[in-house]
Amino acid sequence: MQAGELPAERRGAGSPLAGAEAPGEGGASGPRASAAPAARSGFSPLEFALTPPQKTASQPQGTDFFLNAQGTGKNDGLLLAGTPQMPENRPSPEGRPATHRRQAAWAVAALEGPSGRGSRAGQGIQGDLFAGLAPAEAPVTLAAPTEGENLVADYTSLGLTLGRHPLALLRTALSARRFVTAAQLWAAPDRKLLRGAGIVTNRQRPGTASGIVFLTLEDETGNVNVVVKPDLVEKQRRELLGARLLGVYGVLESREGTAHLLAKRLVDLTPWLGQLPTSSRDFH
């Protein structure tokens, strides 16, 4: 491994460093050093989470209300259902720069071709007869994506968004089931019965914790720390390991500036995310 390069195990499939070759010192490339064991930071992957559990009939299912943006009836979850077009995403007048990703992709597609991808004439191959000619077509104005579609596209390409958090779009539905935000949970008194929900970002089962699993749930206001005791781990293993959006019924334990939710019941709300890709870091 050369200077400035991360081990392959630390890059991640979606990282900008995935598959990249690190230059050697002084900018010159050279043979790689002999392979050495990659450093890891304290934890190894959860062994009991290697096989994702199967979904059960008790999980919330999509209905006709959960339509995608085209209204085809495909279950895209609550995230894409009823999310309006944002005012700033409206198509701009003809001649102005594209104001949303669909219009920009359409404009860029017109530039892609033999001339845009590099001339093939130097390779002795005849290029496109009409290469270099502007396409004769009427201006096209595409419908702007909804906020939910923009959010899914951002998470698919980057794993994050500069817009609103996904749970901000789901908050009305979550509140209807009495799930509170992380901010409300932190402000609640000790021993209060509460329901928290969030995207699972972390699962940990330290070897010294006697089988207890610690979760981190993320919503639009912050993080919720959840403690799951061994009996509930065995009872609701499927929800614990398979849910990407998890609801927790529990008791708040708040002492000396720290707070966590002691889980009594877990609910898999993953179908509400629809096509939104999320991931968690799982350790033991």
Side-chain angles (χ1 to χ4, degrees):
M1 183 174 64
Q2 299 180 6
E5 182 186 7
L6 291 176
E9 292 82 357
R10 297 286 299 277
R11 294 179 186 174
S15 168
L17 295 178
E21 297 292 335
E25 295 183 359
S29 60
R32 291 180 173 274
S34 59
R40 293 186 178 275
S41 53
F43 297 98
S44 58
L46 274 169
E47 294 178 356
F48 69 118
L50 293 178
T51 304
Q54 302 298 318
K55 294 185 178 297
T56 63
S58 62
Q59 295 175 354
Q61 300 295 323
T63 66
D64 291 342
F65 175 72
F66 304 142
L67 300 180
N68 64 1
Q70 288 73 33
T72 60
K74 179 182 177 182
N75 179 14
D76 283 336
L78 278 175
L79 194 62
L80 295 186
T83 53
Q85 289 187 2
M86 301 297 287
E88 63 271 19
N89 285 339
R90 292 173 182 167
S92 61
E94 186 61 31
R96 296 284 187 88
T99 57
H100 57 80
R101 62 189 348 125
R102 287 177 180 167
Q103 203 71 44
W106 182 268
V108 170
L111 302 177
E112 293 183 351
S115 59
R117 296 173 183 170
S119 175
R120 302 194 300 177
Q123 304 175 17
I125 302 175
Q126 181 177 348
D128 191 336
L129 181 62
F130 301 101
L133 297 179
E137 62 180 14
V140 175
T141 299
L142 302 177
T146 64
E147 184 179 13
E149 289 172 325
N150 269 328
L151 195 151
V152 169
D154 287 344
Y155 266 74
T156 300
S157 59
L158 300 174
L160 54 87
T161 182
L162 296 181
R164 293 198 293 169
H165 191 277
L167 263 66
L169 278 65
L170 300 177
R171 181 52 54 190
T172 299
L174 291 169
S175 296
R177 297 185 64 168
R178 294 187 291 172
F179 288 107
V180 301
T181 65
Q184 292 172 322
L185 185 144
W186 277 88
D190 184 38
R191 310 304 301 173
K192 184 176 178 62
L193 294 173
L194 289 172
R195 300 181 184 183
I199 294 174
V200 181
T201 61
N202 199 335
R203 295 180 181 91
Q204 297 184 51
R205 190 178 69 168
T208 57
S210 303
I212 294 176
V213 176
F214 301 94
L215 303 175
T216 302
L217 307 182
E218 176 187 285
D219 70 7
E220 71 273 30
T221 66
N223 293 322
V224 177
N225 300 316
V226 179
V227 176
V228 186
K229 291 191 173 181
D231 56 342
L232 188 60
V233 170
E234 296 303 320
K235 183 178 180 180
Q236 293 200 269
R237 178 188 182 97
R238 180 174 287 105
E239 290 81 1
L240 176 63
L241 303 181
R244 295 186 295 116
L245 178 61
L246 185 66
V248 180
Y249 295 45
V251 179
L252 179 69
E253 294 188 349
S254 178
R255 299 184 183 91
E256 299 179 356
T258 64
H260 60 262
L261 195 60
L262 181 60
K264 300 298 182 181
R265 179 188 171 195
L266 306 176
V267 181
D268 187 357
L269 303 174
T270 302
W272 289 14
L273 293 179
Q275 300 174 9
L276 185 77
T278 64
S279 62
S280 67
R281 295 178 60 84
D282 301 338
F283 308 98
H284 76 87

